Amino acid sequence: MYKQLAEIFKQYEGEKGAVITVLQKVQEKLGYLSKEAISGVAKFFRMSESEIFGIASFYAQFRFTPRGKHAVKVCLGTACYVRGGEEIMKTAEKNLGIDRGGTTEDYKFSLERVACFGCCALAPVMLVDKNVHTKMNLSKVREVIKRYQGEK
Amino acid sequence: MSAATAKETKNITLSINGQQVLAEKGLTVLEAARGAGIYIPTLCYHPILPPYGGCRMCVVEIEKMRGFPTACTTPAEDNMIIKTDTPQLQELRRNILELVLTEHPHSCLICDRKEQCYPYHICIRKVAVTTGCIMCPKNGRCELQKVVDYVGLKEVSLPYTYRELPILRDSPFFDRDYNLCILCGRCVRVCQEIRGVGAITFTYRGPKALVGTAFDYTLQKAGCQFCGACVDVCPTGALIERASKWEGSPDYVIATTCPYCGVGCRLNLEVRKDRIISSVPAIKGAQACVKGRFGIVEFVHHPQRLSNPLIKKDGKFVKASWDEALSLLAEKLQRYKGDKFALISSAKITNEENYLAQKFSRVVMGTNNIDHATRLCHAPSIVGLTEAFGIGAMTNPISDIGNTSCVFVIGSNTISSHPVIALEIKKAISKGAKLIVADPREIKLCQWADVWLQHLPGSDVALLMGMMRVIKDEGLADSTFVQERCENFDAFKDSLKDFDLDFVEKITGVPKAKIEKTARLFATKKPATIIYGMGITQNSHGTDNVFAITNLAMLTGNIGKPSSGVNPLRGQNNNQGACDMGSLPDVYTDYQRVDNPDIRKKFETAWSAQLSSAPGLTLPEIIEAAYKGEIKSIFLIGENPLLSEADAARAKEALKKLEFLVAQDIFLSESAQLAHVILPACSFAEKDGTFTNTERRIQRVRRAIEPIGNSKPDWWIISEIAKRMGAEGFDFSHPSEIMQEIAKLTHSYSGITYQRLEDMCPQWPCPHKESQGTPILHVETFVRGKGRFSPLIYKPSAELPDKDYPFILTTGCSLYHHQTGTMTRKVSGLNALEPEGLVEINSTDARQLNINEGERVKVISRRGQVTTKAKITEVCPQGMVFMRFHFAENGVNILTNPMLDPVSKIPEFKVCAVKIEKE
Ligand code: SF4
Ligand code: SF4
Ligand code: SF4
Ligand code: FES
Ligand code: FES
């Protein structure tokens, strides 16, 4: 793992303040922060795994489980939020059986919040992979998720 | 500037709640107030931690300052006018507390009948889990209770959530109940900032925020070292020592000194009903390690403690009275007077006891055959440092290390062997010091090192001489120091010729460029300190290794100055003291030679006895003489040569051949089993005395409990035997009287009395009653006058790997066990953390031998074989295997080489050739 990440580490040699940037790059590369990745980053910064994990888990952007096959993203930007984005999110959570930031046990779905997609006019918005679903309501959420759940 | 600083440290005046308060400049408002006995409530503040300002419980009003500053972070200034208890402040605090209590069980905290409550009082609020104070182990000592009382919180109107977390019991020593955690962060900060470990951290944030480990790993996996520092700073019942969880408060507390390693941490023993219930660091802000913090109660009170004298009759031990045993001893020992006898004393017992042990050998038994285990760890330091500097001890205090600019650690796995000294090293690093580590294995300290030199075992002289060659050639030496303070430089300089860097690279396996870089680093960072351990000394050229270190320190002028120096870390609690007291074959106390007629005269007069002028045998020589039948009787005090000697099988044979073997110990050690008479000794907790730690600090050991069973203090036993043998000068009723005699005969202890030790623990030399001790040695001149350079040549280790025995075996210690394990292996929690000895082997070697993790393997040397489990690791380099020496069932010293260093007579524990086979 350390070797795999060496490329990233090389750019930040000696920069003690770069923990978050490095974590971001690692997540970009691996899709999530695995146990091995955290241990590699800890070694690089000469910190403990717990310290690195503590920093990472403070930020919502970091995930510790691999992404599911389908990335479900619910917008909680201002426009979507005032139009019930939070309810959309809760429904998605309930239907997928995971919290935001989580991944289903079969690694089929992961759920994330995002802030503003730039199509506020069509709020509230939910994305599954690259497909944008607009003007969502609770039953549409259930429907969309069911569709993906049904596929083989 | 200096005049100004002097002024600034002067007192300032503040007004707190209308009261005039004098304080030192540099304190915070909180410290100033507490100093004057004014209470300000706090939750995140702890005196040993840097101010944090997280909980805002300590808010105060300060005239001319806006808002409500936190007292714990605000520096106190002259003429400040402060209020700490206005109704508005109390209201603010109540609001904050209310928020804290939404997640902390608080029914009892705010109950209006709490004064009348008791554990079996029927109350609807008590349930099986700790949701109320009455059922909390911290009840009465909890800081949250105190704060709630102070601010007078009567009701929590916000909704309460019980976190419903399971109690974590993965540490063998303490429980973690994060339902009671108020997220003050003290534990996290102490673990990261003071211990440098970072096993625990804040995880997540907002309502999910909690203290924990990465991925909820167990503490051990998260790197916890079980020092207990987090437990000791936790204000609530979240972190609680398990053994004393329900014991309540102690009846009394006794300050004493840790009986394990040479750091000599001051510990408080908490006693309840004549039982020790806990041991905690005694001094505010001081730290301990897992052995001192959690490894004491169980061994002191262990059911296997020897509690009666035992006499072997027909191969079986039979219980005897003291009278019977002592008479038998007195009668038997009469027959072995002279050089047929040897006494093996101990670095575990007190100074007073060591003094009596050597006096007994010399006066009563008429022989200088007395030695102890320092021979097996630091004899080369005594010989080498005495020859180079004039005295064989650490030159600088431990607390100096934290302020140095460069730490060079060679042959010491400090985090395991001297955990609290490792904290000083980490402190230095956090202040910007450079760390150089030289060790064949990738020890934990390497994680913080700027340079890690992975030199081959046994190549220390070459490595150090290589560095010195660079320093000399590049003009980085401190030539003024060398010229003014040292001698024999030219001979040394000539010997450097043999160490050109290509040769050094070949011998050490360390690239030339790296040696150059390290040499420059070490020579240019001042002050620099050198710390070394048994990796340096336990070699057949151990004394040369020590000389190489003294050369390096003198060459760079790092002697006699604060935060510099040569610092051998002594392994056992009283290694230093046992040597100072003359438990050595060639010297009386204070290293006064037995073969110097004037000195002998002085002792003959003082002791009214004829003394032998011939230096006695060293420990390995004693064992060898026993093997050959030249020594017929040995008195063994607290030592376990069956595990600690090199070539242990031969040592066992030797002991078996003895006509009369006496063992005086707290447990029936492997060696004691072979004895004819066993005398049960008191542990450190049951007697008075002093230990001298690795930095020459003389510290009190105090009796905390009654002797276990019929055990007796070692000093009492030795005196009784002497008296029964008709000797005079053994009439002591308390160790303080023995210290009086020591002080008379021992220059560096002359200023020591028990009375003075009540308020100080000086570092010797402490030559008169006004002396405060000598923290730094060789300040103006070296003890011997001039520092002496030693020319050196490279000598390979006595036994190197070859075709038949292809691996180098090296040995070392663990954080969790001590010496031969006689004490630590009685502690179940320490056993849980490290249950057995393993052989560490590099993954590539393991693959070639087709050995899997945990598989049983045979480790075979020319002297014997042991079977043990394999641990596959990257810590050991290829071609090297590593074992710890604490485990009787696979005693590594069956394998080691008894080849002695010709000067100091230490065996070569650190290097021998072995082969590995699957079982
Ligand atoms: S016991 Fe020591 S190392 Fe372990 S978590 Fe607590 S402070 Fe950290
Ligand atoms: S466990 Fe104790 S010390 Fe640590 S944050 Fe919680 S209350 Fe504070
Ligand atoms: S074993 Fe050493 S470091 Fe640990 S508490 Fe005892 S004296 Fe201190
Ligand atoms: S706020 Fe959701 S798309 Fe802009
Ligand atoms: S004690 Fe001052 S802010 Fe916590």
Side-chain angles (χ1 to χ4, degrees), chain B residues 114 213 231 308 312 396 419 452 581 583 639 725 780 804:
Chain B
K114 65 184 165 198
T213 55
V231 177
N308 283 296
K312 204 177 246 168
N396 287 58
W452 169 36
M581 290 303 111
S583 275
E639 281 291 330
M725 290 176 77
E780 301 287 328
D804 300 329

Side-chain angles (χ1 to χ4, degrees), chain B residues 189-201:
Chain B
R189 287 182 288 141
V190 81
C191 189
Q192 293 182 356
E193 292 167 34
I194 308 279
R195 305 299 304 198
V197 173
I200 45 176
T201 188

Side-chain angles (χ1 to χ4, degrees), chain A residues 68-73 117 127-133 148:
Chain A
K69 186 167 160 222
H70 299 295
V72 181
K73 296 176 182 166
F117 267 110
L127 254 87
V128 180
D129 303 331
K130 295 260 146 64
N131 305 322
V132 186
H133 301 267
Y148 283 93

Side-chain angles (χ1 to χ4, degrees), chain B residues 539-586:
Chain B
N539 288 286
S540 58
H541 47 266
T543 310
D544 285 354
N545 285 348
V546 173
F547 283 141
I549 288 175
T550 55
N551 287 346
L552 177 61
M554 288 187 287
L555 188 65
T556 50
N558 275 310
I559 288 286
K561 300 167 186 159
S563 298
S564 67
V566 170
N567 298 302
L569 302 186
R570 297 309 196 75
Q572 298 186 64
N573 57 329
N574 204 26
N575 272 137
Q576 186 65 53
C579 295
D580 299 345
M581 290 303 111
S583 275
L584 295 169
D586 51 349

